[in-house]
Structures are given as C-alpha cells and as structure tokens.
Amino acid sequence: MSAGAEILRLDRVRKSFGNVHALKNASMVLREGEVVALLGDNGAGKSTLIKAISGVHPFDGGEIHVRGQRASIRNARDAMDLGIETIHQDTSLAPDLSIARNLFLGREPVTLPWLGVFAPLDFTALRQAATVLLKRVGISKKLDADVLVNTLSGGERQSIAISRAMQFAAKLIILDEPTNNLGVEETHGVLRFVREVRAAGHGVLFITHNIHHVFQVADRVVVMRRGEVVAERNVVDTDLLSVEALIMGVDASTLAKDTAAH
C-alpha cells in the first residue's frame, strides 16, 4: 500500500534536560496509511521524542508540521487538537470504573441527551460497544463489560487502553510498547488493530523492542541512537539482522559472525 499525504514532519527537533541532550536535531516524517516503527536501545531518545509529540514536554527547538502546517505542541490538549493520540506503556485507566466506562470515559452514550450533563448513561449501549471492541483486540478470555479495571491483569488493562484508541482513533496514533505483557492472542489482536488503522488511512508510530513485530506490521523503520535519527529503511528492503545492527551501531556482517559463533 502506498502512503498518502504527510501527517507529521519533525525538522531538527531538540530537547535537553539540564546538560543531557536527549534529542539532537532529530528529523522524521510520517504519512497517512503507513506504520513507522521507531527503534533504538534504551537511552536512544525514543521516549523523549514521543512524549514531546504527545505534549508531555515541549521541544526546545526545531520545527513541527502537522498536515503541512507549522504547529506548536505545548501540552497534551494541543496534541489531541491536532489529531494525535498516544497510548503509553504505563496506560492511565480509571481503576475503580468498569471496562465499559473506561472505554468511553467522557464520551459515554446517554439517554435523554437534552438533559445535558444530567443525562443518564445508556448502559446497554455501553456494554454492547465494549463487547465489540474487546473482541477486535482479541482479549483471551471473555470479560464482562461491567467488571472493574482494578481486577484485570496488566495485559488486559493494556488491551482496554488500545480498544479505547480504536474507538476514538485520531489521525496519528502513537503506540508505545503496546504488546508488552500481552499473551499471544492479545498480541495478535493488537497487531491486527495496527493493520486496520493503516488500512483506514491513519498513521501509526509504533515503538517496540520486539523487532519480529516490526516486520509483521511496519512499512518503514526509523532508528535512533544517542538522541539522533541515524537511519531509515523500508521494511521490504531490509532484514532483521540489518535492523539490529543499525540499533547497535555495528556492521551487519560483524553481528552475523557473532550470531553464528553462538
């Protein structure tokens, strides 16, 4: 599938924390209908980059363009208003609310909508929609939509957060280690979701340490090292060993020899 128009362009963005230069002139582009895997070892700058895009902390310099227009992301509301939604590894759910309430938090269907904020929730619609979403993600056991989130496993909670993004998908969805702590069936559900989002024309920035998952869903890989973007490859033009070598900053042939020796 060919990618469409640009959704996000970062041009020489920078971010420092005191004397630590977390991002140094990093540039990348993400387009409609494509999945870009952002890769790198711990400390490469991936988390700083996605947190800045998400509005957790602003860039110190460089330019951001969203759908061709110069943009400023100063906080999370700016990011959401620009059509950027992020699912962090440490998902933030309301533990004392049900699965259904978490899926539609702040956007719950209601009866008697003319009552405004006093309109009663439509619990039947909530349960039905929650069941559909959970099936799409592929949670391994049947869960009652009325179950409280604080009774779920870590993997199940991650799936709930991903389901919520599926329901209210922005133009760009950032997935930060979305398959961590998930079982096989749940992982397949997440990867299926990534493909569905791409097919619908959205862009996905996919951060993961599992390179096998990259080759299942990504169109391109962007590799970071020490706060810089050091390489970009089309997935069809590379292989797992070459990507690992880029992440480590070594020659692929040397890595191949080391692998063969063990």
Side-chain angles (χ1 to χ4, degrees):
M1 176 178 178
S2 58
E6 281 187 12
I7 297 175
L8 176 72
R9 174 180 288 272
L10 303 177
D11 185 15
R12 297 179 297 171
V13 293
R14 305 184 304 279
K15 181 64 184 179
S16 296
F17 299 97
N19 294 324
V20 178
H21 302 295
L23 294 174
K24 297 178 284 188
N25 295 320
S27 300
M28 66 175 293
V29 173
L30 199 144
R31 299 179 176 86
E32 294 176 349
E34 75 167 349
V35 178
V36 174
L38 183 63
L39 306 177
D41 263 338
N42 291 333
K46 306 186 305 299
S47 293
T48 301
L49 185 72
I50 63 171
K51 285 180 179 178
I53 297 171
S54 306
V56 175
H57 45 57
F59 291 112
D60 293 335
E63 294 186 1
I64 310 165
H65 290 83
V66 177
R67 293 190 290 278
Q69 300 295 317
R70 180 82 179 266
S72 175
I73 302 176
R74 297 156 298 179
N75 50 53
R77 174 52 58 186
D78 285 346
M80 288 187 285
D81 289 345
L82 289 167
I84 300 170
E85 183 163 343
T86 303
I87 301 175
H88 293 289
Q89 183 177 347
D90 50 344
T91 58
S92 55
L93 298 174
D96 295 325
L97 294 181
S98 68
I99 291 174
R101 288 294 305 277
N102 269 279
L103 287 171
F104 293 90
L105 197 60
R107 312 178 220 192
E108 296 93 338
V110 298
T111 59
L112 308 178
W114 54 272
L115 288 174
V117 295
F118 300 105
L121 298 181
D122 187 340
F123 286 102
T124 299
L126 269 174
R127 294 187 192 99
Q128 291 174 344
T131 299
V132 170
L133 288 173
L134 295 176
K135 284 182 179 177
R136 286 183 68 191
V137 171
I139 286 183
S140 56
K141 66 179 181 180
K142 189 173 182 179
L143 292 173
D144 190 324
D146 291 329
V147 166
L148 298 183
V149 163
N150 62 16
T151 66
L152 304 179
S153 69
E156 288 164 346
R157 294 187 192 199
Q158 181 76 308
S159 292
I160 300 303
I162 292 166
S163 298
R164 186 167 60 189
M166 292 174 69
Q167 180 70 1
F168 302 104
K171 203 61 183 173
L172 169 60
I173 297 179
I174 302 173
L175 297 175
D176 182 13
E177 300 286 354
T179 57
N180 264 15
N181 304 316
L182 298 188
V184 174
E185 185 178 357
E186 293 168 337
T187 295
H188 281 296
V190 172
L191 298 180
R192 182 172 64 249
F193 154 63
V194 174
R195 297 186 194 101
E196 289 176 1
V197 170
R198 175 177 58 193
H202 301 283
V204 178
L205 187 58
F206 182 49
I207 297 89
T208 182
H209 282 93
N210 192 318
I211 301 180
H212 294 282
H213 293 166
V214 170
F215 281 86
Q216 293 181 55
V217 297
D219 300 294
R220 287 190 293 127
V221 296
V222 171
V223 179
M224 294 190 70
R225 197 164 58 245
R226 296 176 183 172
E228 298 179 285
V229 173
V230 296
E232 179 182 329
R233 298 286 187 275
N234 292 322
V235 168
V236 295
D237 298 328
T238 189
D239 54 48
L240 189 145
L241 193 66
S242 298
V243 172
E244 288 182 334
L246 289 171
I247 292 171
M248 297 170 64
V250 300
D251 186 81
S253 59
T254 302
L255 186 59
K257 291 176 182 177
D258 291 342
T259 302
H262 292 85

